[in-house]
Amino acid sequence: MDPTTTAAVSDHRSRRVHVLVFPYPAQGHMLPLLDLTHQLALRNVAITVLVTPKNLPILSPLLSRHPSINTLVLHFPASPAIPAGVENAKDLPASGFRVLMVALGGLQGQIVDWFRRHPSPPTAIVSDIFVGFTHRLAAEVGVPRYTFSPSGAAAMSVIFTLWREMPKRENPNDQNEIFRFPEVPNSPEFPWWQISPVYRSYVEGDPSSEFIRQMYFDNTVSYGLLFNSFSAAEGVYLDYMRKYLGNERIWSVGPLLPPDVPAERGGSGAVSASDILSWLDSAESNSVVYVCFGSQAVLTDPQMEALAAGLEKSGVNFLWSTKGPTKGHVDGEGYGTIPPGFQQRVGPRGLVIQGWVPQMLILNHPAVAAFLTHCGWNSTLEGLMAGVPLLAWPMGADQYANANLLVDEHKVAVRASQGEKAVPDSDELAGLLSKAVKEKGAEVRANALRLRTAAMDAIKDGGDSFNNLDNFVKHLYEDASEIPKVSSNSPMLSAPVPAFGA
């Protein structure tokens, strides 16, 4: 979006809005909120980004483009809850997400002190769903807090409903018990094992979960909610969230994209972008399957073997981005091992890269016919923006709801597998991969291209998401004197924010 002609901010306004942006320190959460920060900076909003030292380098592209953006660099207090030197979710197992959420609550006192010492403190806070405690922080310093969701509205409709209804299994040993959400559009249902792992931990007695339950409640009562989504993809869910929250302060502002497609976005790779693009250039149009499972998921060795066998049997060209071999954090099981001799057997039709790759550049290459993905929301949006059909293998968190949206509602994807430990049949997988690059994938490709057009229309000047960004900035400039304060007699707010590691 290029808001050079936007009327979001009138020149005559004497007081410039100042926003404290607080991302959750995991790459999949940070990048979209930093993309939103870029859009706010273009619209003349003064910004301070709160970041931990280890994540400061991720801000480099944003800061080089917007030198006026300030940073607030805070260290975690020392605690045995998190190993020394760990200040982002990348260095933790999946369960570490919950530990880190609680740890971030320990920063509240430092942030309040900073507000009170600052000569021109922020007039609003925009923070990630995983730092919901900032709602009470904002109430303490007297500014509104806006929740940013890096997940889509469909997934968050289910998540918010979970924490409101607080359902439990009738049989605590039945992992396949079905949970239904009849009030949510399209009445989704999921077996217990597909329900949010954060919620399941609460039900199963995780000691940190009361803080996390409070965090989700705080998200629902924040002054507004921003989604990295667009109405053509999730309009019914955005409407549901307005009804659920009882106000219109919901803005769909996506797909949020960087100002260009930098090869280094999110990291640096073992193989140069130019070498990858050269390999893709040698392939025919719509002949390559791109395989990647995001920044967190790591396949078990049996999954690696099944996927490798499927790729080998399919005969398709493929580019497979995978992490290096590791041992499990808890069970000691092997992860990420490429079967011996695999690269030699598939020869030049397959490019296997252990490490980070420039995903957006790859997806937008005409050689790419399909994207085998875990259905994380960032990867989903990047695939949609490229108009590439998806092969869905959801593994956790919001990914099952995302897969339903893609496969059942928009028909831009087909299911390849599901589950973080599921091992697909290699023959069936080979068949799906083969179909994805042939005429049988034409219908899904046509649907993907239609949704891509809708996404592009949303973010161009005058589109829904473009206008919503302008309207959000206008809202920030409105008189906030009537913004309600947190009720001190709310039962959900009776307990103080726990100390770090509590």
Side-chain angles (χ1 to χ4, degrees):
M1 305 177 200
D2 182 8
T4 55
T5 61
T6 185
V9 182
S10 301
D11 292 336
H12 68 271
R13 285 194 169 100
S14 59
R15 185 190 183 207
R16 190 181 183 196
V17 163
H18 178 193
V19 173
L20 175 66
V21 173
F22 188 173
Y24 177 79
Q27 182 170 294
H29 287 244
M30 288 193 70
L31 291 178
L33 185 46
L34 295 181
D35 291 338
L36 173 64
T37 303
H38 163 70
Q39 292 296 330
L40 297 178
L42 288 176
R43 289 164 167 81
N44 198 36
V45 174
I47 294 164
T48 299
V49 181
L50 191 158
V51 67
T52 55
K54 197 167 187 176
N55 288 289
L56 188 58
I58 297 178
L59 271 63
S60 295
L62 178 69
L63 299 178
S64 64
R65 193 175 184 91
H66 301 287
S68 65
I69 292 178
N70 294 311
T71 58
L72 171 60
V73 182
L74 295 180
H75 294 263
F76 286 146
S79 169
I82 294 182
V86 173
E87 292 181 342
N88 60 35
K90 183 178 180 181
D91 298 324
L92 292 167
S95 60
F97 265 68
R98 298 188 293 276
V99 175
L100 202 54
M101 289 180 210
V102 178
L104 287 166
L107 297 176
Q108 177 160 335
Q110 296 181 56
I111 300 169
V112 170
D113 289 343
W114 175 81
F115 258 89
R116 291 172 175 164
R117 288 185 284 102
H118 199 288
S120 300
T123 53
I125 296 173
V126 175
S127 56
D128 189 272
I129 56 172
F130 281 0
V131 289
F133 76 90
T134 51
H135 170 68
R136 284 174 286 161
L137 185 160
E140 185 174 352
V141 298
V143 302
R145 181 255 176 158
Y146 301 88
T147 302
F148 175 76
S149 174
S151 297
M156 292 311 298
S157 295
V158 173
I159 295 294
F160 279 10
T161 303
L162 266 178
W163 289 98
R164 179 184 64 188
E165 302 294 338
M166 301 296 294
K168 296 184 179 180
R169 286 181 290 176
E170 294 182 3
N171 179 354
N173 298 315
D174 185 2
Q175 294 290 329
N176 293 310
E177 183 175 330
I178 299 299
F179 284 73
R180 295 176 173 86
F181 300 86
E183 295 181 9
V184 176
N186 298 301
S187 302
E189 55 184 52
F190 305 92
W192 174 254
W193 61 271
Q194 291 185 4
I195 295 294
S196 160
V198 176
Y199 178 77
R200 282 186 282 134
S201 293
Y202 174 81
V203 171
E204 293 163 2
D206 186 305
S208 68
S209 290
E210 282 301 331
F211 174 78
I212 293 171
R213 182 190 178 205
Q214 174 72 66
M215 177 193 75
Y216 273 101
F217 177 83
D218 288 341
N219 286 332
T220 67
V221 295
S222 67
Y223 197 60
L225 184 56
L226 296 133
F227 280 103
N228 183 19
S229 189
F230 57 108
S231 58
E234 297 198 291
V236 294
Y237 299 102
L238 292 163
D239 289 341
Y240 172 78
M241 292 303 298
R242 293 183 181 97
K243 178 182 177 182
Y244 171 81
L245 296 176
N247 68 70
E248 295 295 315
R249 293 186 297 275
I250 304 244
W251 295 271
S252 57
V253 295
L256 290 163
L257 298 174
D260 44 36
V261 186
E264 73 280 3
R265 175 174 169 82
S268 57
V271 177
S272 70
S274 60
D275 286 345
I276 293 172
L277 292 177
S278 177
W279 183 86
L280 288 168
D281 287 342
S282 68
E284 297 180 359
S285 295
N286 292 325
S287 69
V288 174
V289 175
Y290 169 54
V291 181
C292 184
F293 296 97
S295 59
Q296 291 290 326
V298 183
L299 299 188
T300 65
D301 283 352
Q303 290 173 324
M304 294 287 289
E305 292 171 5
L307 177 53
L311 289 166
E312 187 173 347
K313 293 174 183 178
S314 71
V316 303
N317 300 327
F318 64 90
L319 194 165
W320 183 6
S321 170
T322 182
K323 299 175 178 65
T326 61
K327 290 290 184 183
H329 292 280
V330 177
D331 54 20
E333 182 178 6
Y335 287 78
T337 304
I338 299 169
F342 171 70
Q343 182 69 78
Q344 291 75 18
R345 291 194 300 273
V346 297
R349 70 176 175 88
L351 178 60
V352 181
I353 300 174
Q354 294 191 47
W356 181 91
V357 297
Q359 179 161 289
M360 294 180 68
L361 291 179
I362 292 168
L363 287 170
N364 283 279
H365 195 283
V368 175
F371 177 18
L372 177 56
T373 172
H374 67 310
C375 299
W377 192 242
N378 289 329
S379 290
T380 292
L381 289 179
E382 290 172 5
L384 293 180
M385 288 298 291
V388 174
L390 306 177
L391 301 174
W393 186 347
M395 297 186 177
D398 60 348
Q399 296 155 24
Y400 299 108
N402 296 342
N404 288 351
L405 181 76
L406 298 167
V407 175
D408 301 325
E409 297 181 45
H410 291 296
K411 303 187 187 309
V412 297
V414 295
R415 285 186 173 84
S417 186
Q418 57 181 357
E420 62 180 349
K421 294 293 181 72
V423 179
D425 180 275
S426 61
D427 291 326
E428 293 178 3
L429 185 58
L432 285 174
L433 295 167
S434 179
K435 290 176 182 178
V437 302
K438 295 179 179 178
E439 287 304 314
K440 290 184 179 180
E443 182 179 350
V444 179
R445 187 169 297 111
N447 293 336
L449 289 172
R450 279 195 293 270
L451 200 53
R452 175 187 186 274
T453 298
M456 295 296 290
D457 287 343
I459 62 174
K460 70 183 182 182
D461 193 344
D464 287 348
S465 294
F466 184 97
N467 290 340
N468 287 340
L469 272 164
D470 279 358
N471 291 334
F472 175 63
V473 173
K474 289 179 183 179
H475 168 83
L476 290 175
Y477 273 96
E478 292 173 355
D479 182 6
S481 62
E482 296 182 2
I483 293 175
K485 304 303 184 203
V486 175
S487 172
S488 60
N489 61 9
S490 168
M492 287 295 293
L493 296 171
S494 58
V497 176
F500 176 82

